[in-house]
Amino acid sequence: MMSRQAFLCSLGSLYLFLLFVFLLMDVYARPANNSALKEKPADSKDENEILPPDHLNGVKMEMDGHLNKEFHQEVFLGKDMEEFEEDSEPRKNRKKLMVIFSKVDINNDKKIGAKEMQRWIMEKTAEHFQEAVEENKMHFRAVDPDGDGHVSWDEYKIKFLASKGFNEKEIAEKIRNNEELKIDEETQEVLDNLKDRWYQADNPPPDLLLNEEEFLSFLHPEHSRAMLKFMVKEIIRDLDQDGDKKLTLSEFISLPVGTVENQQAQDIDDDWVKDRRKEFQEVIDANHDGIVTMEELQEYMDPMNEYNALNEAKQMIAVADENQNHHLELEEILKYSEYFTGSKLMDYARNVHEEF
């Protein structure tokens, strides 16, 4: 029978062996490209403040080529979009929607026509523009440490890498001394793309220094015709499979959503393809020749295009125009509230006339 001393000795050896295995597993579990300059993970809010957002309010397509699913709500609600929350009280949302209806109906004839909706869409889009301008002032200050009104690429690069968890002081020193930065492939690829965008936002004469207005174009390309064109080039580059700098329907609907694992995922993919096919054929392909050129996509993406706003107004009316009079009555908007606000109102017609 094993003595108490021998048992404790054996137990200690087992503990040391398990500790060694754990440490070995920890070493091999670490990412291969983990840089010695890395600190703690960055706060996602700080990172988002200086990164060009994928989603642009009031723009019909995301930066990655996906359709903007919230576009109709954004151009109908403007900066008040957050007020219509899924968990908010339906009666309050109904009253807010009635107030909006009265504002859109400028001739007070109790119905909304295409021109009235067009004017409203342009107004709400302008609100998103102004919101981006105001946010840009704060973001610009975050990347302009010396407050000289200009930001160099190196200054931005330091702030960007700091937001990704790198040591800001060490990164700044290495850049100042032209030393090599040990950056993982994924981060380097993002940096390269950002540098291309930075150069595009640098208005003539190019000096690689962005002022506040140029930085706004960097973060929000919808504010600049030149940057809007650059964004369109990027989207076409990502979707164009044969390199002709144009998009066919098959190229436009081939961007994968994800791996289809079950019937529910298949249904999501089918809906996604259906939406993209409809948008391509009915809206983006302006001359209906089966090909979307860079110019067509740029017109489609331009949020301040009045012709697009009128077309959008007509489409929005057609969705809810149950009596086919080419106008929207209050009851129709309330019934289709989810399309206009993202909020589904129950008993939409109850006490409408009393509340209005």
Side-chain angles (χ1 to χ4, degrees):
M1 190 171 182
M2 183 181 295
S3 67
R4 175 181 173 82
Q5 185 176 5
F7 172 77
L8 290 175
C9 183
S10 174
L11 191 63
S13 299
L14 178 62
Y15 171 77
L16 289 174
F17 173 76
L18 289 174
L19 180 61
F20 172 76
V21 170
F22 173 79
L23 291 173
L24 193 63
M25 288 174 65
D26 180 60
V27 168
Y28 282 100
R30 294 171 189 165
N33 291 324
N34 196 27
S35 170
L37 298 174
K38 282 275 188 142
E39 293 181 313
K40 58 184 180 181
D43 184 281
S44 59
K45 184 177 182 297
D46 292 338
E47 180 181 340
N48 290 336
E49 284 181 353
I50 63 171
L51 265 179
D54 176 58
H55 176 83
L56 302 170
N57 287 331
V59 178
K60 298 197 76 171
M61 194 177 285
E62 310 284 16
M63 303 279 267
D64 61 3
H66 285 82
L67 298 178
N68 177 4
K69 292 293 187 182
E70 297 180 337
F71 176 76
H72 300 118
Q73 290 94 18
E74 290 168 357
V75 296
F76 187 74
L77 298 176
K79 64 181 180 181
D80 297 326
M81 188 174 170
E82 292 181 5
E83 291 186 14
F84 286 81
E85 299 174 358
E86 291 182 10
D87 57 350
S88 58
E89 212 273 302
R91 185 181 179 86
K92 289 181 180 179
N93 279 352
R94 188 164 62 245
K95 286 185 176 181
K96 284 185 280 190
L97 194 48
M98 290 176 181
V99 171
I100 290 175
F101 180 91
S102 66
K103 290 179 179 179
V104 184
D105 179 25
I106 54 176
N107 64 3
N108 297 314
D109 65 352
K110 306 302 181 187
K111 58 181 183 287
I112 294 172
K115 284 290 186 181
E116 288 174 315
M117 185 66 87
Q118 178 198 31
R119 178 198 64 84
W120 183 256
I121 287 173
M122 295 295 292
E123 187 178 311
K124 297 295 108 178
T125 302
E127 281 186 5
H128 288 304
F129 267 50
Q130 186 56 39
E131 191 175 34
V133 169
E134 291 168 2
E135 289 178 354
N136 183 68
K137 291 181 185 294
M138 177 182 65
H139 300 162
F140 185 75
R141 286 196 295 269
V143 294
D144 181 23
D146 53 14
D148 65 353
H150 292 85
V151 179
S152 70
W153 168 248
D154 281 346
E155 284 178 324
Y156 177 80
K157 184 177 179 179
I158 290 167
K159 289 294 182 181
F160 167 75
L161 290 174
S163 78
K164 302 293 285 185
F166 290 83
N167 184 297
E168 185 170 343
K169 289 183 179 179
E170 289 184 33
I171 285 288
E173 176 126 4
K174 284 182 175 292
I175 289 177
R176 193 163 45 246
N177 296 331
N178 292 318
E179 295 180 35
E180 182 185 357
L181 301 178
K182 294 180 181 178
I183 301 173
D184 57 272
E185 267 183 50
E186 184 181 348
T187 303
Q188 186 60 55
E189 185 177 352
V190 173
L191 261 179
D192 292 341
N193 291 334
L194 288 173
K195 191 172 185 179
D196 287 342
R197 182 188 292 271
W198 187 273
Y199 283 9
Q200 291 295 324
D202 185 17
N203 291 329
D207 55 8
L208 298 187
L209 300 173
L210 299 192
N211 58 30
E212 190 173 308
E213 184 178 345
E214 290 168 331
F215 192 71
L216 174 65
S217 297
F218 172 72
L219 290 184
H220 288 272
E222 75 276 20
H223 284 250
S224 159
R225 293 292 296 180
M227 286 300 291
L228 189 64
K229 186 175 182 179
F230 177 72
M231 180 171 68
V232 166
K233 282 182 179 178
E234 285 189 314
I235 290 175
I236 287 184
R237 180 198 64 196
D238 291 342
L239 304 184
D240 178 23
Q241 296 173 4
D242 59 13
D244 64 354
K245 298 182 180 178
K246 299 175 185 178
L247 296 180
T248 62
L249 176 60
S250 61
E251 287 174 329
F252 191 71
I253 65 176
S254 65
L255 191 65
V257 181
T259 304
V260 178
E261 297 176 347
N262 51 42
Q263 186 57 49
Q264 184 181 6
Q266 180 65 61
D267 291 342
I268 292 172
D269 274 20
D270 289 346
D271 288 342
W272 182 86
V273 169
K274 182 181 176 182
D275 288 344
R276 290 182 74 86
R277 184 189 302 275
K278 182 179 180 182
E279 197 73 9
F280 183 97
Q281 294 176 330
E282 298 181 10
V283 185
I284 309 177
D285 182 14
N287 61 2
H288 305 293
D289 65 351
I291 298 290
V292 165
T293 64
M294 199 168 293
E295 291 73 24
E296 283 177 319
L297 189 57
Q298 189 170 333
E299 288 301 309
Y300 169 80
M301 294 285 286
D302 184 358
M304 295 306 287
N305 184 316
E306 292 187 14
Y307 178 75
N308 284 353
L310 181 59
N311 278 341
E312 191 61 40
K314 291 176 180 177
Q315 289 178 45
M316 290 173 76
I317 289 173
V319 166
D321 183 21
E322 289 194 336
N323 61 10
Q324 298 295 301
N325 68 348
H326 305 294
H327 287 74
L328 288 180
E329 277 79 34
L330 177 59
E331 288 84 354
E332 290 171 328
I333 283 189
L334 289 171
K335 184 173 181 179
Y336 289 86
S337 63
E338 193 167 12
Y339 175 80
F340 292 100
T341 69
S343 174
K344 191 169 184 178
L345 306 181
M346 305 304 292
D347 300 327
Y348 67 91
R350 181 181 295 175
N351 298 324
V352 163
H353 298 291
E354 287 80 356
E355 291 179 356
F356 189 51

